[in-house]
Amino acid sequence: MSAQIPKIVVVGSVALDTVTTPAGTREEMLGGSAVHFAVSASFQTRVGLVGIVGDDFAREHVTFLTSRGIDVRGLEIVKGAKTFRWTGSYVKDLNAAETHCTALNVFANFKPTLPPDYTRAPMLFLANIAPALQLHVIEQMPVSCYRICDTMNLWINQTRDELAEVFRRVQIIIMNDGEARLFTGEKSLITAGRKMLAFGVDYCVIKKGEHGAMVFGQDGFFAALPAYPVEQVVDPTGAGDTFAGGFAGYLSACGAHDHAAVRAALRRGIVMGSFNVADFSCDRLRTLTTAEIEQRLAEFNAMIA
Amino acid sequence: MSAQIPKIVVVGSVALDTVTTPAGTREEMLGGSAVHFAVSASFQTRVGLVGIVGDDFAREHVTFLTSRGIDVRGLEIVKGAKTFRWTGSYVKDLNAAETHCTALNVFANFKPTLPPDYTRAPMLFLANIAPALQLHVIEQMPVSCYRICDTMNLWINQTRDELAEVFRRVQIIIMNDGEARLFTGEKSLITAGRKMLAFGVDYCVIKKGEHGAMVFGQDGFFAALPAYPVEQVVDPTGAGDTFAGGFAGYLSACGAHDHAAVRAALRRGIVMGSFNVADFSCDRLRTLTTAEIEQRLAEFNAMIA
């Protein structure tokens, strides 16, 4: 029965995204933080997904997730309800989405309950959802579970205390540059990253989009890498979650989180993120092969050699 | 007599800068593209400086340059004339200077003539001056001289044809991200960098300020590195020239410009640039030691390991 225990559990949004970028507009595509994370991590590890959708969520989406080896027992499908929908655009700046409409629908009543097998997973990724829900999930896992969290500016502004409590109860915090600055009030990302370590985490990862990512660790550990440059960005939606999926997926697969593992995980995350932006939704990852990932990793390593 | 031949000649501005940054205002500090370049390169190689100043240029500035081993026989001092002055500020954005006043003074009549020993230097750096002057200097050097150039948006907008002629006659072009986009009309720096190779250069280097630098070479060579993160930027003036001084200084010192040399030069350039921004003018470099440079290089290498 141990084959049914995921190696990493992700809790987050499952959505239908309508996105406009310079490359065009696409309607009701598969999206959401948990989806982008799970698809990305599935190239390296066995993922258990926790989320909620309505019965308008196309069966083909579930089939696709399952085809990637993702365990969807934690995906709750609510009859007569509608899936969370997000509509946004990237017109002036591919680094910053403008939200046009957020219809929470079934997501408004999300109270994640983990299937029993999931609670035995050795690693947990708390994708961007309300800190109260992240705490609710943390409470369902044993303290031995290695916990990584993401967040967004909304929670920093609205539920800062609960978010701080999440930070105190995880081992790795992943944020983007704007969130790190907003949360700490520091302009310098170096100062901000170091400040985050005061929560007692092993590492704080700061994503900088097209400018790469940095990791701060206890005892002065520091790593920083550029992004893998993508000539034609089609849709950046989900790039951060795809990065996190590559990063945490690697840690999950190697079963370690020492400095060497974190350095390698950072490269995986950056490479996975670079694939995500090359097409709408997670479409590029639908055809992505392990050989392509390994080739890009080699190119990335040569680039920074 | 061969000891009197510089290993690299730099032609550019020598200025007195008045700069306002969040750290304060400083008046009439030593500055100019040729100065920042020369001081930086002097840590690795014998630099011959070509520039022009008035007799208001303090003797202590010349003494400082000489103390760094810089050959100042090419620095013309015009009696009864005033040195070039630049006044600018970085208030909203430490990445972009706002120019308040440019008093060209003696620089308006600059027509650089190289001392005979300088024309036997194996390498030339054309810092940011009018392309016509850059061409005038190129014509004084034998074709065997390895040439590297920098530029600025002013020349891209005003004297594009002459600038293109400079590009055709150098082996390495160094630009910043904004200049690369402006010159090529390409939004993607990858596309822009590759396009610049059409001038027949060996390499095009694109500086990205706090986000690092990239190098494009013929046959698909590509390298990209993050910046060395500086917690407290005091004054970014001259960072690009200091980067170029570290980059070209390394190539000059090792006497090569193959891929391995360019990769190592890129690291030197990034590290030297990171020191420049830590104080006003080139003040940080006044006390900088080789041991400090080597230590930061080691830290940088660990950061991207």
Side-chain angles (χ1 to χ4, degrees):
Chain A
M1 292 299 284
S2 78
Q4 294 189 316
I5 298 171
K7 288 194 73 176
I8 186 167
V9 167
V10 55
V11 185
S13 61
V14 178
L16 296 173
D17 289 344
T18 295
V19 178
T20 298
T21 82
T25 296
R26 296 286 177 90
E27 294 186 357
E28 307 236 322
M29 302 179 293
L30 178 60
S33 58
V35 166
H36 285 289
F37 177 92
V39 172
S40 175
S42 73
F43 284 84
Q44 299 181 87
T45 193
R46 196 162 63 246
V47 183
L49 185 147
V50 178
I52 193 166
V53 292
D55 57 5
D56 58 346
F57 190 69
R59 182 192 290 248
E60 68 194 48
H61 295 325
V62 179
T63 307
F64 164 62
L65 295 172
T66 308
S67 78
R68 292 269 355 127
I70 297 164
D71 185 334
V72 294
R73 285 176 293 167
L75 180 64
E76 191 183 346
I77 301 173
V78 182
K79 281 187 182 159
K82 283 183 134 188
T83 301
F84 170 42
R85 278 162 173 81
W86 178 77
T87 304
S89 66
Y90 306 79
V91 176
K92 286 179 206 148
D93 183 356
L94 276 167
N95 290 310
E98 193 178 317
T99 293
H100 299 296
C101 176
T102 302
L104 288 177
N105 298 329
V106 73
F107 198 56
N109 303 313
F110 189 37
K111 182 88 176 178
T113 301
L114 273 52
D117 276 347
Y118 281 35
T119 63
R120 293 165 65 195
M123 196 174 263
L124 171 67
F125 182 74
L126 299 159
N128 163 34
I129 49 171
L133 297 185
Q134 293 180 319
L135 289 170
H136 179 65
V137 172
I138 287 172
E139 278 153 19
Q140 296 171 58
M141 296 296 270
V143 288
S144 62
C145 175
Y146 200 81
R147 283 151 275 163
I148 308 176
C149 77
D150 197 348
T151 190
M152 72 179 289
N153 50 10
L154 179 72
W155 313 121
I156 296 172
N157 288 323
Q158 294 191 353
T159 57
R160 187 185 168 89
D161 291 347
E162 284 164 323
L163 182 58
E165 182 59 20
V166 172
F167 291 163
R168 275 187 283 273
R169 296 179 68 177
V170 298
Q171 279 76 49
I172 302 183
I173 298 167
I174 301 183
M175 318 174 90
N176 69 32
D177 41 8
E179 291 155 7
R181 289 192 170 108
L182 179 64
F183 187 85
T184 63
E186 297 289 344
K187 207 172 175 185
S188 157
L189 291 178
I190 302 295
T191 315
R194 289 199 189 124
K195 235 180 175 175
M196 294 305 296
L197 296 175
F199 284 101
V201 294
D202 292 342
Y203 302 100
C204 173
V205 178
I206 298 184
K207 301 173 284 182
K208 300 192 294 171
E210 63 169 321
H211 299 301
M214 310 195 294
V215 185
F216 301 81
Q218 301 293 345
D219 302 323
F221 173 79
F222 177 63
L225 292 174
Y228 178 91
V230 177
E231 204 161 350
Q232 188 113 29
V233 174
V234 170
D235 176 11
T237 310
D241 300 305
T242 307
F243 164 90
F247 178 86
Y250 182 85
L251 296 182
S252 164
C254 78
H257 34 77
D258 55 20
H259 293 178
V262 165
R263 287 183 188 282
L266 191 61
R267 291 172 191 230
R268 290 270 164 179
I270 286 169
V271 162
M272 293 307 291
S274 77
F275 282 117
N276 172 272
V277 302
D279 203 347
F280 282 99
S281 176
C282 51
D283 285 359
R284 179 65 186 84
L285 273 67
R286 288 176 189 263
T287 60
L288 187 64
T289 65
T290 304
E292 286 174 319
I293 296 171
E294 294 303 324
Q295 192 193 324
R296 185 161 293 186
L297 271 169
E299 284 170 17
F300 183 75
N301 290 336
M303 182 186 107
I304 61 172
Chain B
M1 295 297 284
S2 78
Q4 294 190 317
I5 298 171
K7 288 195 73 174
I8 186 166
V9 167
V10 56
V11 186
S13 60
V14 179
L16 296 173
D17 290 344
T18 296
V19 178
T20 299
T21 81
T25 296
R26 296 286 176 92
E27 293 186 358
E28 307 236 323
M29 302 178 291
L30 178 61
S33 58
V35 167
H36 284 290
F37 177 92
V39 172
S40 175
S42 73
F43 283 84
Q44 301 182 84
T45 193
R46 196 161 63 243
V47 184
L49 184 147
V50 179
I52 193 166
V53 291
D55 57 6
D56 58 344
F57 191 69
R59 183 192 289 250
E60 69 194 45
H61 295 325
V62 178
T63 307
F64 165 61
L65 295 171
T66 308
S67 77
R68 293 268 355 125
I70 297 165
D71 185 335
V72 295
R73 284 177 292 166
L75 180 64
E76 192 182 347
I77 301 173
V78 182
K79 282 188 183 161
K82 283 185 131 185
T83 302
F84 170 42
R85 276 161 173 82
W86 177 77
T87 304
S89 66
Y90 306 79
V91 176
K92 286 178 207 149
D93 184 356
L94 275 167
N95 290 309
E98 194 179 316
T99 292
H100 300 294
C101 176
T102 303
L104 288 177
N105 300 329
V106 74
F107 198 57
N109 304 314
F110 189 36
K111 181 91 174 177
T113 301
L114 274 50
D117 276 347
Y118 281 36
T119 62
R120 292 165 66 197
M123 197 174 264
L124 172 66
F125 182 74
L126 301 157
N128 165 35
I129 48 171
L133 297 185
Q134 292 180 319
L135 290 170
H136 178 65
V137 172
I138 287 173
E139 278 152 18
Q140 297 172 58
M141 295 297 267
V143 289
S144 62
C145 174
Y146 200 81
R147 283 151 275 164
I148 308 176
C149 77
D150 198 347
T151 190
M152 71 179 289
N153 51 9
L154 179 73
W155 314 121
I156 297 171
N157 287 323
Q158 293 190 355
T159 57
R160 186 186 169 87
D161 290 349
E162 284 165 323
L163 182 59
E165 181 60 18
V166 172
F167 290 162
R168 274 187 285 273
R169 295 179 69 177
V170 298
Q171 279 75 50
I172 302 182
I173 299 167
I174 301 183
M175 320 173 87
N176 69 31
D177 42 6
E179 292 155 7
R181 289 192 170 108
L182 179 64
F183 188 85
T184 62
E186 297 289 345
K187 206 171 172 185
S188 158
L189 291 177
I190 302 295
T191 315
R194 289 201 188 123
K195 234 178 174 174
M196 294 305 297
L197 297 175
F199 285 100
V201 293
D202 292 342
Y203 301 100
C204 173
V205 178
I206 298 183
K207 300 173 285 184
K208 300 191 294 170
E210 63 168 322
H211 299 301
M214 309 194 294
V215 184
F216 301 82
Q218 301 291 345
D219 302 323
F221 173 78
F222 177 63
L225 292 174
Y228 179 90
V230 177
E231 205 162 348
Q232 189 112 29
V233 174
V234 170
D235 177 11
T237 309
D241 300 305
T242 306
F243 165 89
F247 179 85
Y250 182 86
L251 296 183
S252 164
C254 78
H257 33 77
D258 55 19
H259 294 178
V262 166
R263 287 183 189 282
L266 190 61
R267 290 172 192 231
R268 290 267 165 184
I270 287 168
V271 162
M272 293 308 290
S274 77
F275 282 116
N276 171 272
V277 303
D279 203 347
F280 282 100
S281 176
C282 52
D283 285 359
R284 179 64 187 87
L285 273 67
R286 288 176 190 262
T287 59
L288 187 64
T289 65
T290 305
E292 286 174 320
I293 296 171
E294 295 303 325
Q295 192 192 326
R296 186 162 293 187
L297 271 169
E299 283 170 17
F300 184 74
N301 289 337
M303 182 187 106
I304 61 170

